[in-house]
Amino acid sequence: MSDPSLTQDIECDLLVIGSGAGGLSTAITAAKHGLDVVVIEKEAHFGGTTAYSGGVLWIPGHSKNPPGVASDHRDTALRYMKDQTGAFYDEAAIGAFLDVAPEMVDWFERETEVRFVPTLYPDYHPDAPGGVQVGRSILAAAYDASRLGKDMHRLRPPLKTITFIGMMFNSSNADLKHFFNVTKSATSAWYVGKRLASHFIDLLRYRRGVQVTSGNALAARLAKSCFDLNIPIHTGACARELLCQGDTVTGARVQIGQREVRIAARRGVVLACGGYPHDPQRTRQAYPHLQRGGEHLSPTPEGNTGDGLKLAGSVGGQVDMRFEGVGAAAWMPVSRVPMANGTFGVFPHLLDRYKPGIIGVLRNGKRFTNESNSYHDVGAAMIAACADLPETAMWLVCDAATIRKYGLGYAKPAPLPLGGLIRKGYLLKGRTLEELATRAGIDPTGLMATVSEYNQGATQGEDRQFGRGTTAFNRYLADPSHTPNPCVAPLGKGPYYAVKLVMGDLGTFDGIRTTVAGQVLDGQGAVVRGLYAVGNDRASIMGGNYPGAGITLGPNMTFGYITGRFIAGAPVHEPASRKGSQTEATHAI
Ligand SMILES: Cc1cc2nc3c(=O)[nH]c(=O)nc-3n(C[C@H](O)[C@H](O)[C@H](O)COP(=O)(O)OP(=O)(O)OC[C@H]3O[C@@H](n4cnc5c(N)ncnc54)[C@H](O)[C@@H]3O)c2cc1C
């Protein structure tokens, strides 16, 4: 579906290519500072990976902490960033992020439709120097997408595999708890009934769920803010080539269906195409498991084919591949879900690995890591553990009582049936561990030995091999009602179940080399005039690590804000009188 409104060559101040959080935050900031901005999006829907995401932003020092949660100090956050980024520590970029991120949040809340709520997420490495047990991650507030009017149908729907008949879960644990307790508590049954009824009414009325949460809410809020500022988001419009006058980028050639238009941009072009998770050449170069001939399934939208990196390269911009290997992307172990009409969906294992009684093993039947670590850490451990194997894969295994209580991957807890997923081969079942292992192609002796050894400690709530449940982050998404260790329970009576996981990602970390302000640099470190990069097109400041929930969207929106202000010629910081602070810091970029 292409946008019928873009039929001829146009001119603007700033052209933004890509409609995720990186692009839209830049567009909004620049427009608010007086520029005439146009956004183009190659897909029929706007929102990119951002609309699929959890909508969490990592913002050290934000002002939204709930009562009782201590406010963060810049020095503590800086210590954490130094520890987490190691050899890749970039003082200027990290300094700018820490200085500007809290102001960015306040600015968007004051000036636009974007709102956030605090979360209780611990950092992913809370015990590292400068790590905190709670407080640095905030979440996009839920939104009524019908406020977008007819544009609501151009908002990328949420990732199908993590909705329930198209209904989004609220990212709060309370919401999910009601769904888990639906057969055990009248209050939960009433709550779930009400949620489902209102979702069905929305489906009848709007042909989609409109009570959106998480990243869908963030994308909807950013898009509404664009439309309020008369920033068009042209969907079905793919940037094919950058236009230059001399050595300055001045616009782009854009394909819309069968026709082409030229968009001239007086102040420059911003690349915000969301990195390269679907570029087969570059991922093969960067991902170790692909080099070994293994499988990779990305839940990111298929339009993220690395166009921004290619466009930058076409005018001399430097693409750094510094994190190749275990830091190349934000890893996410995923499973392949057979859907109707022979297609498949990608299910990111965001919740089950934390739950007591679910363990992860390799083909040899052995556990290899603390399953309740972050998706990125489990992914990196999986890549390392399978280094000598042609396939990078693990199996999550549990008993009958556990799968009925928590579900396993795409298989939902009771009372929802499991039979369909067993018949389709997604869910593997065995009356005994040996039968399950044989069915899954796992070494039966290895699996039985692993469960026997694990169960010895697990009956006392201990994971003697990998220390599951020893960090605040391990415990955060576990089961607080399970004692003494919310992450650890023995595997009991059969039948037993397993799901196969392969490697996926939430986005790539390597990208275009830029100044702090987002100006694209060439191989000699000189600025490519008129060209900027934001979001995952720009190299991550996290050094290939994943320090906490929201470490892509937090920097993406912060640097979008910085780049938007820079292009519009605004000072890096809001004047003190506007943001109500005592001092006006300055930051050279
Ligand atoms: C399931 C899931 C959960 C996640 N949860 C979180 C989270 O809670 N917190 C967090 O920080 N990160 C999270 N992430 C990662 C995060 O969503 C991404 O890092 C982020 O959204 C990338 O933003 P972006 O603006 O760079 O790109 P995107 O949001 O992907 O937007 C890029 C857009 O550019 C468009 N485009 C590409 N090429 C062209 C072209 N040639 N012309 C025009 N348009 C083009 C694409 O179609 C796309 O719409 C999650 C990811 C997934 C998959």
Side-chain angles (χ1 to χ4, degrees):
M1 184 172 61
S2 65
D3 187 342
S5 62
L6 190 55
T7 53
Q8 56 189 24
D9 294 355
I10 56 169
E11 213 176 302
C12 59
D13 288 331
L14 186 65
L15 172 63
V16 175
I17 305 175
S19 65
L24 297 189
S25 57
T26 312
I28 292 163
T29 311
K32 273 278 182 186
H33 289 89
L35 298 195
D36 169 23
V37 183
V38 168
V39 177
I40 57 168
E41 165 56 55
K42 78 196 271 192
E43 302 259 326
H45 295 105
F46 54 75
T49 319
T50 305
Y52 276 176
S53 76
V56 178
L57 275 70
W58 194 71
I59 306 284
H62 67 78
S63 58
K64 305 196 68 67
N65 271 338
V69 175
S71 47
D72 201 5
H73 292 287
R74 188 186 185 283
D75 289 350
T76 320
L78 187 66
R79 189 145 40 96
Y80 189 56
M81 285 297 284
K82 275 187 179 158
D83 177 80
Q84 297 290 293
T85 55
F88 294 106
Y89 174 68
D90 177 341
E91 187 163 354
I94 288 170
F97 169 62
L98 295 178
D99 287 342
V100 178
E103 170 187 316
M104 178 280 292
V105 169
D106 294 345
W107 185 89
F108 269 90
E109 290 207 318
R110 193 176 61 237
E111 304 283 340
T112 77
E113 191 78 2
V114 176
R115 300 286 181 278
F116 297 101
V117 292
T119 76
L120 296 176
Y121 263 106
D123 282 342
Y124 285 179
H125 307 130
D127 303 322
V132 296
Q133 307 284 320
V134 61
R136 287 180 176 152
S137 299
I138 57 172
L139 168 71
Y143 195 60
D144 179 352
S146 68
R147 297 196 60 194
L148 288 167
K150 62 179 177 15
D151 288 315
M152 146 182 72
H153 297 291
R154 295 196 300 139
L155 170 65
R156 175 175 288 283
L159 189 62
K160 209 170 172 183
T161 51
I162 54 174
T163 64
F164 181 57
I165 43 172
M167 185 178 74
M168 297 196 73
F169 295 102
N170 200 319
S171 299
S172 77
N173 279 343
D175 192 58
L176 273 177
K177 210 168 142 190
H178 283 304
F179 282 85
F180 278 121
N181 286 339
V182 67
T183 54
K184 292 173 223 127
S185 138
T187 316
S188 293
W190 174 246
Y191 177 92
V192 170
K194 262 197 337 192
R195 287 269 275 121
L196 286 173
S198 103
H199 179 62
F200 284 127
I201 291 167
D202 287 344
L203 286 181
L204 284 174
R205 197 162 161 203
Y206 302 109
R207 288 176 289 123
R208 63 159 289 165
V210 294
Q211 301 310 318
V212 297
T213 63
S214 312
N216 221 247
L218 179 61
R221 286 177 175 280
L222 286 165
K224 178 71 166 67
S225 309
C226 283
F227 300 138
D228 287 348
L229 286 162
N230 292 321
I231 304 171
I233 304 177
H234 295 292
T235 43
C238 179
R240 291 285 180 209
E241 185 190 0
L242 293 174
L243 304 173
C244 296
Q245 275 174 15
D247 57 3
T248 303
V249 174
T250 54
R253 180 168 66 80
V254 178
Q255 187 175 348
I256 305 152
Q258 298 304 311
R259 63 182 191 277
E260 269 188 13
V261 298
R262 285 166 175 257
I263 302 181
R266 291 177 288 266
R267 300 286 276 269
V269 173
V270 178
L271 301 170
C273 302
Y276 65 91
H278 289 280
D279 177 340
Q281 272 91 42
R282 223 183 272 275
T283 50
R284 207 171 312 116
Q285 176 193 343
Y287 296 179
H289 51 293
L290 285 182
Q291 287 158 16
R292 306 196 286 255
E295 191 178 12
H296 186 91
L297 296 178
S298 179
T300 61
E302 287 177 7
N304 289 25
T305 48
D307 296 6
L309 278 60
K310 290 174 206 155
L311 289 167
S314 72
V315 294
Q318 176 70 22
V319 175
D320 285 327
M321 299 296 281
R322 296 187 307 158
F323 312 136
E324 282 178 52
V326 287
W331 305 122
M332 168 60 75
V334 297
S335 50
R336 178 193 285 270
V337 185
M339 308 298 260
N341 63 30
T343 58
F344 73 90
V346 181
F347 181 87
H349 286 254
L350 287 156
L351 292 174
D352 47 8
R353 293 175 292 101
Y354 302 90
K355 300 289 189 281
I358 297 176
I359 59 167
V361 298
L362 302 174
R363 197 175 276 288
N364 61 14
K366 294 187 179 159
R367 289 178 67 216
F368 62 99
T369 193
N370 177 337
E371 297 89 339
S372 303
N373 280 341
S374 76
Y375 33 84
H376 180 71
D377 290 347
V378 171
M382 194 166 145
I383 290 173
C386 298
D388 299 327
L389 303 171
E391 178 186 51
T392 299
M394 70 184 272
W395 284 259
L396 288 180
V397 176
C398 70
D399 63 21
T402 300
I403 198 170
R404 298 320 278 150
K405 189 167 184 188
Y406 304 115
L408 188 67
Y410 191 66
K412 307 282 184 296
L416 293 176
L418 303 175
L421 289 173
I422 295 173
R423 280 190 294 281
K424 286 180 178 164
Y426 175 78
L427 191 61
L428 303 161
K429 180 181 177 184
R431 277 167 300 146
T432 60
L433 283 170
E434 193 174 13
E435 188 177 280
L436 178 74
T438 308
R439 211 154 265 171
I442 305 171
D443 174 29
T445 319
L447 180 63
M448 287 188 296
T450 296
V451 171
S452 157
E453 189 194 337
Y454 165 80
N455 273 358
Q456 282 174 27
T459 45
Q460 282 132 60
E462 289 169 18
D463 170 14
R464 292 176 186 157
Q465 207 178 355
F466 296 110
R468 246 171 108 169
T470 50
T471 76
F473 175 68
N474 277 184
R475 296 188 292 273
Y476 181 64
L477 292 167
D479 179 356
S481 70
H482 183 82
T483 55
N485 185 337
C487 302
V488 176
L491 275 78
K493 282 203 299 243
Y496 300 95
Y497 294 85
V499 169
K500 182 180 180 184
L501 275 59
V502 296
M503 190 56 65
D505 67 277
L506 301 181
T508 46
F509 281 151
D510 273 314
I512 301 164
R513 191 189 296 175
T514 66
T515 63
V516 173
Q519 299 158 287
V520 171
L521 295 173
D522 68 15
Q524 282 69 51
V527 165
V528 177
R529 288 153 59 100
L531 190 62
Y532 304 85
V534 297
N536 288 2
D537 273 358
R538 172 183 169 146
S540 164
I541 59 167
M542 297 295 164
N545 200 348
Y546 212 107
I551 59 89
T552 60
L553 288 172
N556 285 3
M557 281 194 63
T558 303
F559 287 111
Y561 174 78
I562 289 175
T563 301
R565 290 179 76 94
F566 180 84
I567 299 170
V572 175
H573 285 285
E574 277 283 272
S577 56
R578 294 224 54 195
K579 62 179 179 180
S581 86
Q582 301 304 307
T583 53
E584 183 182 350
T586 51
H587 207 288
I589 52 175

